[in-house]
Amino acid sequence: TIFVNILSRLPRIFSGLGIAGVLLAIFNHLYGSYSPLFIQHFLLFGKSDPQYCEYLEYLRVPKRWFKYFYMIGIFSTFCILLVELFMLSSVLNKTIISVLIIYLVHVSRRLYECEYVSVFSNSQMSFMHFLMGIVYYIVTPSSILLSQSNAAERSYLTIGLFSVHMLILQYLQNLVFRQLAALRSGKNKNTDKLSEKKYYPPEGSMFYWVSCPHYILEISIYLSCQLFITPKWIPFSHILFFTICNQLCCIWLNHNWYKNNFPEWASKRAMLIPYVW
């Protein structure tokens, strides 16, 4: 019972982290290089490297360690799925089981992409960012399970349509990651020569309209899961809120990076909504 009580409170932490992340991103945007180094090192990674700090560099890990997020996600989601199938009750909740299976597909696909599709540079991320990601992928499947008391009863037809919808989103996001990987494999027209240390403006499919479609698709995946479970506020809603905050910050930071480094390319693409913003 104590364990369940603790577990039920963990998703709430991510609502606070989402708000904190947005505030830090705004602070960093306003003050830029004048913002404290620990904020830069916590917030920035990948293309948007923080200012160098010898001591904080020891607290950074390779961005390619993203794969450990998805390993943890696969393990935790599989365990939660087993709990739902065999330990909780004799009446299975089709809605929750469907979302858990879809989420298992999602994290499995992301692990595959990290291992066999993405071409990582030598960029790094904060160790705190890494730890937060580990906790996130432990808590997310738990939050889905904790939401079952409010889950809507979906018909098999609705579950089928939801599955098709989610598979389309999975395909689109996979396509985007393949296009990003092509930038470092000499398969993109904007790539002058193969290099893992350079960045190039991506082209094709959704990149014609927005600068960071993979982040938009990530929001769409989590939002779809939320609406499929229920439109009400549930434990999973904290995860959705954090994901939206986190991905919007990533979109904002990356779009600004594109504006600074590829202004002509960025001027023809929206940050979030094509032809609007």
Side-chain angles (χ1 to χ4, degrees):
T1 304
I2 296 176
F3 176 75
V4 173
N5 288 335
I6 294 174
L7 193 63
S8 64
R9 288 179 170 85
L10 284 177
R12 303 176 190 176
I13 296 174
F14 282 92
S15 285
L17 289 174
I19 295 172
V22 171
L23 294 176
L24 288 176
I26 294 173
F27 183 86
N28 185 74
H29 177 73
L30 293 175
Y31 295 98
S33 59
Y34 296 102
S35 62
L37 290 178
F38 76 90
I39 291 180
Q40 294 184 38
H41 277 253
F42 175 76
L43 189 67
L44 304 177
F45 66 94
K47 293 188 287 291
S48 305
D49 280 334
Q51 293 184 68
Y52 177 80
C53 176
E54 181 179 358
Y55 300 106
L56 291 175
E57 285 298 315
Y58 292 110
L59 298 176
R60 293 177 71 76
V61 298
K63 187 185 173 185
R64 64 182 73 245
W65 281 19
F66 263 64
K67 65 181 181 181
Y68 296 116
F69 295 163
Y70 307 119
M71 290 179 183
I72 294 294
I74 291 171
F75 178 76
S76 59
T77 305
F78 185 72
C79 289
I80 292 296
L81 186 58
L82 291 179
V83 169
E84 170 63 20
L85 288 173
F86 302 110
M87 296 179 63
L88 283 186
S89 65
S90 57
V91 180
L92 299 179
N93 190 311
K94 300 193 300 293
T95 301
I96 295 300
I97 291 174
S98 300
V99 174
L100 285 171
I101 292 174
I102 287 294
Y103 194 71
L104 184 60
V105 170
H106 175 62
V107 290
S108 299
R109 194 209 87 227
R110 289 296 294 121
L111 176 60
Y112 171 81
E113 288 165 348
C114 283
E115 290 286 5
Y116 301 108
V117 176
S118 298
V119 182
F120 290 98
S121 66
N122 294 323
S123 60
Q124 297 180 314
M125 60 180 167
S126 164
F127 187 71
M128 291 302 296
H129 190 138
F130 176 72
L131 288 180
M132 186 171 65
I134 294 295
V135 176
Y136 175 86
Y137 282 99
I138 292 174
V139 173
T140 296
S142 301
S143 72
I144 296 172
L145 183 64
L146 291 168
S147 302
Q148 68 174 336
S149 61
N150 292 306
E153 184 67 28
R154 303 298 185 187
S155 66
Y156 286 109
L157 176 60
T158 304
I159 291 173
L161 293 174
F162 169 72
S163 300
V164 171
H165 165 74
M166 293 299 286
L167 289 175
I168 291 173
L169 292 179
Q170 297 291 329
Y171 168 77
L172 290 174
Q173 195 177 47
N174 175 260
L175 175 63
V176 169
F177 281 115
R178 289 184 180 277
Q179 289 171 319
L180 290 172
L183 295 173
R184 293 202 177 104
S185 60
K187 298 178 181 178
N188 185 280
K189 67 180 183 180
N190 286 338
T191 306
D192 52 3
K193 60 181 179 179
L194 178 62
S195 173
E196 293 185 0
K197 298 181 179 180
K198 290 186 176 181
Y199 292 98
Y200 308 93
E203 297 284 351
S205 66
M206 295 179 68
F207 283 111
Y208 284 119
W209 297 285
V210 291
S211 59
C212 303
H214 45 310
Y215 296 130
I216 297 173
L217 288 165
E218 190 77 3
I219 293 174
S220 301
I221 288 169
Y222 281 78
L223 181 60
S224 297
C225 288
Q226 164 75 50
L227 295 177
F228 181 73
I229 297 172
T230 179
K232 299 177 182 178
W233 188 268
I234 51 176
F236 181 74
S237 303
H238 295 286
I239 300 298
L240 171 65
F241 180 76
F242 171 81
T243 302
I244 291 174
C245 292
N246 176 262
Q247 299 300 293
L248 288 178
C249 287
C250 290
I251 291 171
W252 187 25
L253 291 170
N254 279 273
H255 189 75
N256 285 334
W257 184 90
Y258 281 125
K259 286 170 65 176
N260 292 330
N261 291 273
F262 304 103
E264 183 179 355
W265 181 90
S267 66
K268 299 176 182 178
R269 286 153 180 86
M271 183 167 62
L272 187 63
I273 304 173
Y275 307 112
V276 178
W277 181 57

